[in-house]
Amino acid sequence: INNWRRKFENGYLQINNLFDYSDQFFNFGNLASNLKTSNIFTSVDYKYLLSDRFTFQGGAQLTNTRYTFDNQFSEYLYSVADDIPTFKQDSVLSNNPTEGYLYCNWELNDKWNLSSGLRSNILRDRHAYLSSQFAVNFQPSPKHRLLLSAGRYNNFSTPNFSLQSIDLLTSYQAALDYDFKVEGFNLLAAVYYKLESGQFEDAEMMIFNEVESVGIELLVRKSFAKHFEITFANTFIDQKIVTDEGRFRSSSDFDYFFKASLQFNNEDYFNAALSFIGRPGQYFTPVSGRTFNPTIDIYEPIFSQDRNSAQFNADNSLNLSVNRYFPLGDKAIICFLSVINILNRKNQ
């Protein structure tokens, strides 16, 4: 990672460059995969301070990503035993989007702030797209803040073992956030809507091309006794997916997603946190029948046409983390302990 920045009288110029490489391998039964990924990212950005209340920023970004797959698949997806026939599939995928963007932020006064941005690919070798966003920030007093935002966003999918393709993903999003803050107390509330389109895959390797989400979030945080802080948060997610067969609930369609934590922070002694996470079980598509395959002497499962119609048991976890910071001159040692799922619940 390399960063260069030059400051001018009314702004600054910044150049960033990144390179990373990874080599991943896994095997399970008769499945095997070797994925090599290389990524080069370069960006040039300039921020111009037109006044104390108005800033303008623009730039360009070049990304060069290459994926090399060396995979072995089972000829029968429902059986990965070592003695089941396999086939090889090698492929090389690359993605080289070059994007330009413009962004401006206007502080109208001490209460109102507007911001807007545009982003588009400059060299349109495969897909032409335009991303846009707009936000209004209203702060009537130091205690209260409202943020209304909306936008259309684009990015590309990351290929994986079972879905070896790079597809353009598009989402439309809108959100309203409220923040109330006084000394020792903070309340956050939000409602949002998101519509995503493209090609997606879930844990069951089911392909779908649209995801619609509606969410409501609430968080309450309270500090007390100088070193303690307690937090409660809950999220409601109504999420649906669209496949060639119709519209179904997603695996993460949750009536609640509850989080609670109690933290103790004292640098002279130690820091500790006891946290609880609880949510309903994820949905899945059950097996509704079977048919015998004499070629490999195995039964082939037949899945229900009603996608995500069954549900795992609720998932609850109580966790503990403790850490201590030991300064040693110009160096330091951090010791930590983490205990996950203290109650040893057999979550699915």
Side-chain angles (χ1 to χ4, degrees):
I1 299 176
N2 297 291
N3 301 292
W4 178 86
R5 182 171 176 173
R6 174 72 180 274
K7 187 175 182 180
F8 299 93
E9 182 179 355
N10 294 318
Y12 63 83
L13 175 68
Q14 183 167 309
I15 300 176
N16 306 291
N17 181 261
L18 174 147
F19 172 77
D20 69 75
Y21 175 83
S22 65
D23 190 345
Q24 305 172 53
F25 176 81
F26 90 88
N27 69 290
F28 178 78
N30 65 356
L31 303 178
S33 175
N34 183 209
L35 170 60
K36 298 177 181 179
T37 306
S38 63
N39 181 48
I40 301 175
F41 172 83
T42 302
S43 69
V44 179
D45 310 277
Y46 184 78
K47 187 173 184 179
Y48 181 66
L49 307 176
L50 187 63
S51 69
D52 293 339
R53 293 184 178 271
F54 188 90
T55 59
F56 177 84
Q57 185 171 329
Q61 298 177 348
L62 170 64
T63 304
N64 185 307
T65 307
R66 181 182 176 91
Y67 305 91
T68 303
F69 288 91
D70 181 8
N71 291 339
Q72 176 177 289
F73 294 92
S74 174
E75 291 189 4
Y76 303 89
L77 294 177
Y78 51 87
S79 180
V80 294
D82 292 332
D83 57 346
I84 299 298
T86 62
F87 66 93
K88 298 281 291 184
Q89 186 180 74
D90 302 333
S91 60
V92 177
L93 302 175
S94 61
N95 193 26
N96 309 295
T98 301
E99 299 180 325
Y101 77 93
L102 298 172
Y103 175 81
C104 63
N105 185 79
W106 186 14
E107 187 179 342
L108 299 176
N109 50 48
D110 294 338
K111 295 182 179 180
W112 291 91
N113 187 92
L114 305 178
S115 63
S116 182
L118 295 173
R119 179 183 293 271
S120 179
N121 54 336
I122 302 172
L123 304 178
R124 301 177 177 180
D125 55 339
R126 295 197 305 164
H127 302 282
Y129 58 83
L130 176 67
S131 300
S132 59
Q133 68 174 29
F134 180 75
V136 180
N137 191 333
F138 176 56
Q139 189 168 359
S141 72
K143 297 179 181 179
H144 303 275
R145 184 178 69 89
L146 277 171
L147 175 63
L148 175 64
S149 59
R152 180 182 189 268
Y153 306 92
N154 298 275
N155 65 348
F156 290 95
S157 63
T158 301
N160 56 45
F161 174 70
S162 57
L163 188 59
Q164 295 177 29
S165 64
I166 300 175
D167 302 294
L168 180 66
L169 308 177
T170 300
S171 68
Y172 296 89
Q173 303 179 32
L176 177 63
D177 298 77
Y178 171 69
D179 185 353
F180 173 76
K181 184 180 296 184
V182 293
E183 185 176 357
F185 180 81
N186 187 204
L187 184 146
L188 298 171
V191 57
Y192 66 87
Y193 173 81
K194 186 176 183 180
L195 178 63
E196 303 168 89
S197 61
Q199 190 172 46
F200 306 93
E201 181 187 38
D202 64 8
E204 300 173 356
M205 289 192 254
M206 179 178 70
I207 304 298
F208 49 96
N209 48 41
E210 190 174 280
V211 186
E212 185 178 34
S213 306
V214 177
I216 301 174
E217 300 179 357
L218 180 66
L219 180 146
V220 177
R221 182 182 296 116
K222 172 66 177 177
S223 301
F224 63 96
K226 189 177 180 179
H227 298 294
F228 288 90
E229 181 178 274
I230 189 169
T231 303
F232 297 98
N234 189 44
T235 302
F236 163 80
I237 305 174
D238 181 17
Q239 189 174 84
K240 301 295 184 290
I241 61 174
V242 177
T243 71
D244 293 337
E245 291 81 23
R247 179 183 172 90
F248 307 92
R249 66 160 59 95
S250 81
S251 59
S252 300
D253 185 56
F254 295 145
D255 291 335
Y256 66 91
F257 197 124
F258 182 74
K259 300 178 182 179
S261 67
L262 176 63
Q263 297 182 7
F264 172 80
N265 298 301
N266 190 325
E267 295 182 359
D268 295 332
Y269 295 97
F270 61 90
N271 301 317
L274 184 66
S275 61
F276 172 80
I277 300 176
R279 61 167 175 81
Q282 288 191 307
Y283 290 93
F284 65 94
T285 304
V287 174
S288 59
R290 64 179 184 173
T291 180
F292 184 70
N293 186 339
T295 304
I296 55 175
D297 194 31
I298 287 177
Y299 283 95
E300 175 183 354
I302 299 175
F303 289 91
S304 169
Q305 294 299 308
D306 190 6
R307 300 286 188 179
N308 293 327
S309 55
Q311 187 177 21
F312 290 113
N313 295 331
D315 190 301
N316 299 302
S317 179
L318 183 65
N319 311 305
L320 174 68
S321 63
V322 181
N323 67 77
R324 173 69 192 272
Y325 178 86
F326 296 94
L328 300 173
D330 59 348
K331 299 179 176 59
I333 296 177
I334 299 177
C335 299
F336 65 91
L337 169 70
S338 296
V339 183
I340 308 299
N341 195 16
I342 296 174
L343 302 180
N344 197 29
R345 280 185 53 88
K346 300 189 182 306
N347 295 314
Q348 294 177 299

